[in-house]
Amino acid sequence: MRGGVDSDSKSGIRRRGQELLEQSLGLDAEFRPDQWEAIERLVVDKERVLLVQRTGWGKSTVYFIATKLLREQGHGPTLIISPLLALMHNQIQDAENQLGLEAWTINSNNTEDWTEAKEAVVDGTCDVLLISPERLANIEFHEDVLMEMDDEFGMLVVDEAHCISDWGHDFRPDYRRIKRILQEFPDHIPVAATTATANDRVVDDVTDQVPRLRAIRGDLVRDSLRIQTNEIGSRAKRLAWLAEIVPELPSSGIVYCLTTDEVETVAEWLSDQVLDFEPYHGGMDGDRRRELEDRLMNNEVDGLAATNALGMGFNKPDLGWVVHFQRPPNLIRYYQEIGRAGRGLEEAFAILLSGDEDDRVAEFFIEQAFPEPEDFETVLSTLEASNEPLHKYEILKRANISWKAASQCLDMLRVDNAIIRVDDGFERTSKDWSYDHDRIESVTRHRWEELDRIQEFARTDECLTAFIDDELDGSLEGDCGRCANCTEPVIPTDIEDERLIQAAVEHYRAESWDEISPRYYLPTENGKSKIEKHRKHEPGRVLSVYGDPGYGELVSQSWEQEDTYSQELVSAAVRQIETEWNPTPAPTWVTAVPSPTDWPKVRDLARRIAAGLGLEYVQAVERVKEMRPQHELANSYQKRWNVEDAFDVTEDVRSAPVLLIDDTVGSRWTFTEATFELRDAGSGSVYPFALAERTMW
């Protein structure tokens, strides 16, 4: 039978809470300001609390000790909803080892544990259940877990509660479900909503949406952080700066990058400087990411180059520094990431490197944050026109919409109940749905304002700590006296060895020289078919990444501004093909892909590369139908249909191996289709080559 809490027992609960804190953190541990107040509100008063506290303050300490106290009173388990399950394993291990709590997770990465986890919840042995917000939409979860429980949950925890708000830096559609659940939740069940990144606007929005939610806010900026901004310019110069500075920084740290490709480039560069540096990003499997986190925790590496996949939930008290290789899109995210450093140190460093080229990435992500109205209409009309449910890939086959936009549309439409997910895909419901122009335009405008603010932050002479605190509507009064603007640069800003800059440019060039792998399957209306081996091209090569320092920058300049590609690019292509590539059997002639836009330019490029290699140029491929430039099309299926049957060959096809040249490569369908024609006409092996790869981050 569930136990109650008498008014006389508050002091007893307080003593028990202190015992649990000491059991967790040591005999000299004391609750930080606001921690016990939050626990008491949850355990004694059964309130709904919004904890807005800096990273590392101990929000998980609050809800795990509250869970232990509630369980000892006979209440049900705690349900934690978090988008960061992969990053919470350290806190979960602490809760299990220090407090004796039995914690289970149900997510897409641990399907083998689902049965045991469900049984633990249903039979009452589970103390803590962690799920992602997406799990709330899962019918099986409702039927097998929620409806089978003999008792209700004792407490609900909503981690990263700023995601509920449109104005939060990381709004997620599935958090709307949490809002609806909280509006219907019984009053006697306490709720702990937590975040480190909510200003007044976000707090007001969350508390307006969630009934009876009361905020407890603390100081947000950590005293130990010494913040500095360095406007360095090109990414090659930033690599040079890292080579000089990182070896001198104390302890281990994190270099944050905006893209996965940049993470790999930075990690490889720093490893070349005789440092033990590893890349870390969301594309890695969970075991590898956990291994890297453990190595950083144990100071077994000098640092990690990481995307923001290494963020919330990672707690290393002695992390000595955070460097941002590129400027993040807003100050809230920047604050969140520098909060990894200095939690248990008297001094730690947060250095922001920036330059104008950062805006290109930031603007891309703002522009791609929401699908266009036409994308929603496309998804809805495609589902309405089908007599049966459609999977995402089936929608992409029928519509020119990107994989990302399709995913976003499906997520948002599903949360709004305009579509439902069934065993065979998605289907339209009878509910009316319309695009919320005002909300999305307002949020997008807010994102541009946030970008303006962090651009101003990178240039300001004001106190940097106060600038961030003001953005967060914090409580700091006056300047911090610690940041580089209040004192002097805490880390050198200039590059002493100019030779490192050219070495960094060469590093980008070497990293960009990559393989163009053949495609193995063709999409069909009813699935896919395997490409026969004799029709596939051989592994090819690409010289650069479009727009990257070095050759990629030259390609973008030539592509946008010039009638021909520069001789420097032609010479580089010839040199790399001759020295870094050894295709066997070697090509004996050269031809080009007939581009739908700059055909004379591509043909000229191929002729000049052929001359440089001492090979014959033959125009063996011709375009026989109109086609759109591939980079204008949104997904791989549409790119395939665009080039299907677009080419034919002349009578000049040679039976020997051939080098097939285009200026840029993305989906590889153009090379694939041109190869079909060449191989079917009796050519030898086909080796694709392009000046630059187009990436969309």
Side-chain angles (χ1 to χ4, degrees):
M1 180 175 177
R2 174 169 303 167
V5 179
D6 299 328
S7 58
D8 295 337
S9 64
K10 280 190 176 182
S11 59
I13 293 175
R14 178 68 174 84
R15 285 194 300 273
R16 179 58 178 150
Q18 180 65 35
E19 289 173 3
L20 294 171
L21 181 69
E22 293 173 2
Q23 187 176 315
S24 298
L25 303 179
L27 295 178
D28 58 346
E30 295 290 342
F31 283 110
R32 288 175 172 160
D34 298 332
Q35 281 186 323
W36 178 251
E37 178 189 353
I39 293 171
E40 188 174 60
R41 286 190 186 184
L42 294 167
V43 175
V44 177
D45 302 323
K46 305 297 189 293
E47 288 188 8
R48 296 182 171 190
V49 176
L50 173 61
L51 275 176
V52 185
Q53 302 285 352
R54 66 175 181 264
T55 55
W57 172 83
K59 294 181 285 292
S60 61
T61 297
V62 167
Y63 55 71
F64 283 135
I65 288 181
T67 294
K68 185 69 173 180
L69 292 170
L70 288 167
R71 291 293 278 164
E72 290 177 349
Q73 293 174 11
H75 293 276
T78 290
L79 176 65
I80 300 178
I81 303 172
S82 173
L84 305 163
L85 301 183
L87 290 175
M88 292 188 69
H89 64 276
N90 289 334
Q91 292 95 319
I92 296 304
Q93 286 177 350
D94 289 344
E96 292 178 332
N97 296 335
Q98 298 166 1
L99 295 174
L101 293 172
E102 182 173 321
W104 288 92
T105 302
I106 297 178
N107 62 70
S108 57
N109 294 321
N110 74 332
T111 53
E112 69 280 1
D113 296 332
W114 282 10
T115 300
E116 198 172 353
K118 292 172 184 176
E119 290 175 355
V121 176
V122 171
D123 66 22
T125 60
C126 170
D127 297 311
V128 177
L129 176 65
L130 291 96
I131 64 168
S132 68
E134 292 77 14
R135 188 63 43 188
L136 297 173
N138 187 283
I139 295 174
E140 185 178 312
F141 176 74
H142 279 264
E143 292 178 347
D144 294 353
V145 179
L146 300 186
M147 294 177 65
E148 291 296 319
M149 291 177 65
D150 290 333
D151 210 347
E152 59 194 358
F153 284 104
M155 181 170 66
L156 176 66
V157 175
V158 181
D159 193 28
E160 310 307 330
H162 60 271
C163 296
I164 292 174
S165 172
D166 288 341
W167 310 111
H169 74 285
D170 195 18
F171 168 73
R172 303 194 183 197
D174 280 285
Y175 265 71
R176 292 185 186 176
R177 290 196 179 89
I178 300 174
K179 179 181 69 175
R180 291 199 289 265
I181 288 173
L182 286 170
Q183 288 171 339
E184 300 170 1
F185 220 54
D187 290 344
H188 65 272
I189 298 180
V191 174
T194 71
T195 179
T197 51
N199 56 18
D200 287 345
R201 186 178 197 176
V202 173
V203 169
D204 291 344
D205 191 23
V206 173
T207 52
D208 283 346
Q209 294 187 61
V210 180
R212 301 179 303 283
L213 190 64
R214 296 174 57 191
I216 297 178
R217 301 189 64 171
D219 294 335
L220 296 177
V221 182
R222 186 170 293 112
D223 291 341
S224 62
L225 279 180
R226 303 197 67 183
I227 303 171
Q228 178 174 318
T229 61
N230 286 3
E231 196 157 2
I232 289 184
S234 76
R235 284 174 285 156
K237 288 183 178 179
R238 296 180 221 183
L239 284 186
W241 183 91
L242 289 176
E244 288 191 338
I245 300 302
V246 169
E248 305 302 320
L249 291 174
S251 182
S252 53
I254 301 170
V255 178
Y256 276 112
C257 306
L258 292 180
T259 68
T260 297
D261 287 344
E262 209 69 64
V263 161
E264 298 284 353
T265 297
V266 169
E268 184 69 28
W269 167 258
L270 288 174
S271 295
D272 289 346
Q273 313 308 311
V274 200
L275 292 168
D276 192 347
F277 242 83
E278 296 280 0
Y280 180 108
H281 52 76
M284 297 174 167
D285 65 55
D287 289 342
R288 176 57 177 160
R289 287 164 65 179
R290 192 162 294 117
E291 175 192 344
L292 291 170
E293 292 166 27
D294 290 342
R295 292 191 66 198
L296 182 59
M297 287 286 293
N298 298 325
N299 294 316
E300 295 171 1
V301 291
D302 295 311
L304 300 179
T307 63
N308 65 338
L310 180 64
M312 297 172 285
F314 179 74
N315 182 19
K316 177 177 168 59
D318 62 339
L319 192 78
W321 53 271
V322 167
V323 170
H324 278 80
F325 186 71
Q326 294 147 304
R327 190 183 60 229
N330 58 68
L331 272 168
I332 306 297
R333 174 169 157 183
Y334 176 70
Y335 158 77
Q336 188 179 67
E337 290 169 354
I338 65 174
R340 308 273 77 76
R343 295 183 176 186
L345 299 173
E346 292 185 3
E347 182 177 73
F349 303 98
I351 314 297
L352 172 66
L353 309 182
S354 66
D356 291 340
E357 61 183 27
D358 296 346
D359 291 336
R360 181 169 61 97
V361 181
E363 290 168 3
F364 172 83
F365 284 125
I366 292 174
E367 291 164 356
Q368 299 296 313
F370 292 103
E372 297 293 328
E374 307 83 62
D375 294 334
F376 287 99
E377 293 169 9
T378 296
V379 169
L380 287 173
S381 61
T382 302
L383 289 172
E384 289 168 351
S386 176
N387 294 324
E388 56 189 9
L390 298 176
H391 290 289
K392 188 192 305 181
Y393 75 89
E394 294 172 310
I395 295 172
L396 293 171
K397 283 183 178 181
R398 292 164 168 78
N400 184 32
I401 181 174
S402 72
W403 182 274
K404 178 182 178 182
S407 300
Q408 290 175 308
C409 288
L410 291 171
D411 285 345
M412 296 175 74
L413 292 169
R414 191 160 52 92
V415 169
D416 290 341
N417 295 322
I419 63 174
I420 59 171
R421 187 169 200 155
V422 294
D423 290 342
D424 297 326
F426 299 92
E427 62 182 28
R428 183 73 165 95
T429 67
S430 59
K431 182 178 179 180
D432 290 335
W433 188 89
S434 60
Y435 186 85
D436 192 342
H437 287 272
D438 290 343
R439 181 180 73 86
I440 290 175
E441 287 175 6
S442 180
V443 172
T444 301
R445 185 168 58 252
H446 179 59
R447 297 286 188 266
W448 287 109
E449 291 168 356
E450 289 179 326
L451 179 58
D452 288 342
R453 286 290 286 164
I454 197 166
Q455 289 171 337
E456 185 181 348
F457 173 76
R459 298 188 300 265
T460 188
D461 294 328
E462 300 173 14
C463 171
L464 297 169
T465 308
F467 197 106
I468 296 172
D469 192 74
D470 182 61
E471 188 75 4
L472 291 161
D473 297 312
S475 57
L476 183 66
E477 297 180 1
D479 295 347
C480 72
R482 299 181 308 276
C483 72
N485 286 2
C486 284
T487 57
E488 58 185 15
V490 294
I491 301 292
T493 58
D494 298 325
I495 301 163
E496 292 187 3
D497 188 351
E498 294 288 329
R499 293 172 299 180
L500 281 170
I501 299 174
Q502 185 56 39
V505 171
E506 294 301 326
H507 178 73
Y508 271 106
R509 290 175 174 175
E511 286 286 299
S512 297
W513 176 253
D514 204 359
E515 182 176 290
I516 302 172
S517 59
R519 284 195 166 273
Y520 287 85
Y521 294 95
L522 278 177
T524 64
E525 292 297 336
N526 299 314
K528 62 183 180 181
S529 62
K530 193 170 184 178
I531 300 174
E532 297 169 285
K533 185 176 180 180
H534 71 275
R535 299 189 79 207
K536 290 190 297 189
H537 64 69
E538 303 301 318
R541 293 294 185 274
V542 62
L543 180 66
S544 66
V545 175
Y546 192 86
D548 267 7
Y551 297 131
E553 193 172 11
L554 291 176
V555 175
S556 66
Q557 290 171 356
S558 295
W559 195 87
E560 295 168 3
Q561 302 170 9
E562 300 171 13
D563 294 331
T564 61
Y565 285 104
S566 68
Q567 184 56 42
E568 183 179 358
L569 283 171
V570 173
S571 299
V574 171
R575 182 172 60 253
Q576 290 293 103
I577 290 169
E578 288 183 328
T579 62
E580 300 295 333
W581 191 15
N582 186 32
T584 305
T588 62
W589 59 291
V590 177
T591 193
V593 176
S595 164
T597 50
D598 294 313
W599 171 220
K601 195 169 173 179
V602 175
R603 181 174 54 196
D604 174 70
L605 171 69
R607 283 175 170 162
R608 291 161 67 197
I609 290 176
L613 294 170
L615 301 178
E616 179 185 11
Y617 175 81
V618 178
Q619 188 47 53
V621 184
E622 57 186 10
R623 184 160 46 87
V624 294
K625 79 169 190 180
E626 291 300 315
M627 52 184 280
R628 292 172 62 182
Q630 288 287 76
H631 66 270
E632 293 181 0
L633 293 161
N635 68 64
S636 184
Y637 296 105
Q638 300 304 313
K639 292 175 191 285
R640 163 60 184 149
W641 311 145
N642 185 48
V643 299
E644 186 177 25
D645 300 325
F647 304 121
D648 201 351
V649 291
T650 69
E651 296 179 352
D652 297 324
V653 173
R654 307 288 196 264
S655 59
V658 57
L659 185 67
L660 177 63
I661 291 179
D662 203 348
D663 53 357
T664 63
V665 58
S667 67
R668 295 166 290 154
W669 283 123
T670 302
F671 277 136
T672 300
E673 187 69 21
T675 298
F676 288 166
E677 298 300 325
L678 287 166
R679 294 294 279 158
D680 291 348
S683 81
S685 300
V686 178
Y687 298 97
F689 176 81
L691 288 181
E693 177 186 7
R694 288 186 177 272
T695 63
M696 297 300 287
W697 298 297

